[in-house]
């Protein structure tokens, strides 16, 4: 008589097949074959959710602005660049009638254009005026603060050192405020190479989404070279980036693996992956649950899970559901602070 034995772990082969003549062969197959790979990723797991995670106030505001302009002015509504750096957000707004463009020349004269949360240079504003575009500005107020500082520091004759990542839209916009006065540095090596006119008249600013620990190193190197260096009145790295990095650290130490939900062009999401890796916990960036590779989960019993500031929280819930397909999942949340910051909408987006 045949007998069906359900195996859920490799150890079951020994525990539950005693007396079965095929046991040694089955065990060998399992240990060396594809089934062994799958068995190594199944089983009960703990998921440690980092809090805060996912949308920040600036992203919430930018997405709401596009939705309101679509509602009030009808489709299409043009958006310069990705409104926030997330493929799912962009796809959802595209489905509602938003048209994302890289260049204002792609927007028909006289139409409405929304500037993304990352901000734009004065040259882009001037180009929009040239084309008679109706502008709705979704620049995050915390990015706008850095622009204002750049203008102020440059106007008083300082060389302004911007700490940030070359090519990022936020950095491009800030550099455009005073191209002759602002120099970009990415790391400590760049600081050593800096050549400036008057070392007594120096100030610095930072991109809003940098890693706090790395930025401290760069700013310390700047202060060591230029002791009279002036800085912003309050930190430029925003509350959302700081909080997500702190909450990531609250889970990474207890986790075998960290998953960060976010897109590959999301600066704050990338910083979370790097931060976990610097602290010794393997980490991967995923756009959604479908990006998870089974091999990452082999032997992993505790998963740290977070999301960058531009990633919707529903994607986090989908990751938990996907992990649940591999075995029972217990979820615990590590919340280091509650975020209550909200930004008002511009009147052009229907704010009263
Ligand atoms: S990550 Fe920070 S700077 Fe960027 S949109 Fe959010 S709050 Fe604003």
């Amino acid at each position: 008589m045949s007998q069906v034995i359900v195996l859920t772990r490799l150890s079951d082969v020994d525990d539950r097949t005693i007396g079965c003549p095929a046991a040694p062969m089955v065990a060998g197959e399992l240990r060396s074959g594809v089934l062994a790979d799958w068995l190594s990723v199944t089983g009960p797991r703990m998921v440690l959710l980092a809090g805060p995670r996912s949308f920040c106030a600036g992203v919430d505001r930018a997405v709401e602005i596009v939705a309101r302009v679509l509602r009030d002015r009808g489709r299409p509504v043009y958006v310069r660049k990705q409104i926030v750096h997330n493929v799912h957000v962009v796809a959802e707004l595209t489905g509602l009638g938003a048209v994302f463009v890289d260049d204002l020349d792609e927007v028909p004269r006289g139409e409405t254009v929304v500037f993304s949360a990352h901000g734009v240079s004065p040259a882009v504003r001037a180009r929009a005026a040239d084309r008679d575009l109706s502008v709705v500005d979704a620049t995050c107020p915390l990015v706008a603060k850095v622009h204002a500082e750049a203008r102020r520091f440059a106007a008083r004759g300082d060389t302004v050192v911007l700490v940030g990542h070359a090519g990022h839209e936020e950095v491009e916009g800030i550099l455009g405020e005073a191209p002759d006065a602002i120099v970009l540095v990415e790391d400590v090596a760049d600081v050593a190479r800096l050549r400036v006119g008057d070392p007594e008249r120096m100030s610095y600013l930072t991109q809003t989404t940098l890693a706090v620990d790395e930025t401290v190193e760069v700013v310390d190197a700047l202060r060591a070279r230029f002791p009279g260096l002036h800085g912003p009145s309050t930190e430029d790295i925003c509350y959302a980036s700081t909080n997500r990095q702190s909450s990531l650290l609250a889970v990474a130490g207890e986790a075998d693996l960290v998953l960060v939900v976010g897109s590959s062009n999301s600066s704050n999401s990338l910083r979370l992956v790097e931060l976990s890796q610097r602290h010794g916990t393997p980490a991967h960036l995923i756009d959604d649950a479908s990006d998870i590779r089974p091999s990452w989960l082999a032997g992993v019993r505790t998963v740290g899970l977070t999301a960058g500031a531009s990633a919707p929280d529903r994607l986090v819930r989908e990751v938990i559901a996907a992990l649940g397909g591999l075995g029972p999942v217990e979820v615990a949340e590590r919340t280091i602070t509650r975020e209550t910051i909200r930004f008002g909408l511009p009147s052009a987006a229907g704010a009263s």
Side-chain angles (χ1 to χ4, degrees), residues 63-307:
V63 172
E64 175 75 9
I65 286 171
V66 177
R68 279 178 176 241
V69 173
L70 275 164
R71 182 196 67 192
D72 296 344
R73 304 189 188 188
R75 54 170 68 192
V77 164
Y78 295 87
V79 182
R80 182 186 176 274
K81 308 287 185 186
Q82 292 190 346
I83 184 72
V84 299
H85 286 156
N86 186 269
V87 293
H88 290 276
V89 172
V90 169
E92 282 162 25
L93 290 174
T94 300
L96 294 175
V99 176
F100 292 89
V101 297
D102 277 331
D103 195 294
L104 289 185
D105 288 345
E106 298 169 60
V107 184
R109 292 188 83 83
E111 286 288 346
T112 295
V113 67
V114 179
F115 290 159
S116 79
H118 308 103
V120 299
S121 68
V124 172
R125 292 185 191 281
R127 184 72 187 136
D130 284 348
R131 296 183 58 74
D132 295 324
L133 302 180
S134 173
V135 170
V136 183
D137 192 354
T139 302
C140 174
L142 300 183
V143 175
K145 162 190 171 285
V146 185
H147 280 248
E149 289 165 341
R151 290 192 295 272
R152 187 159 58 85
F153 292 167
R156 71 186 183 200
D158 286 4
T159 296
V160 184
V161 181
L162 174 62
V163 186
H165 294 288
H168 189 277
E169 282 152 37
E170 180 184 326
V171 165
E172 298 289 309
I174 297 166
L175 288 172
E177 290 290 352
D180 296 334
I182 306 177
V183 290
L184 178 68
V185 301
E186 294 192 277
D187 51 30
V188 171
D190 283 349
V191 173
R193 286 191 285 265
L194 261 185
R195 296 287 170 268
V196 299
D198 183 352
E200 302 298 321
R201 303 183 73 172
M202 301 279 298
S203 48
Y204 80 91
L205 300 169
T206 78
Q207 192 177 337
T208 56
T209 50
L210 298 182
V212 173
D213 56 350
E214 290 183 324
T215 305
V216 166
E217 285 178 20
V218 178
V219 172
D220 284 351
L222 280 169
R223 286 196 194 289
R225 265 204 75 186
F226 308 107
L229 184 76
H230 297 282
S233 51
T234 55
E235 286 304 317
D236 288 332
I237 297 177
C238 73
Y239 79 96
S241 298
T242 305
N243 286 345
R244 278 149 193 73
Q245 289 169 35
S246 299
S247 64
L248 178 278
L249 290 178
V251 302
E254 295 178 60
D256 305 312
L257 170 77
V258 162
L259 296 176
V260 178
V261 182
S263 289
S264 59
N265 58 346
S266 163
S267 173
N268 79 89
S269 303
L270 288 167
R271 303 294 83 80
L272 295 175
V273 172
E274 293 165 358
L275 186 62
S276 181
Q277 291 169 343
R278 277 203 298 282
H279 283 257
T281 306
H284 297 283
L285 185 68
I286 54 173
D287 261 317
D288 52 46
S290 69
D291 282 343
I292 299 172
R293 296 284 157 265
S295 59
W296 299 345
L297 298 171
V300 166
R301 288 292 158 248
T302 304
V303 177
L305 181 57
T306 188

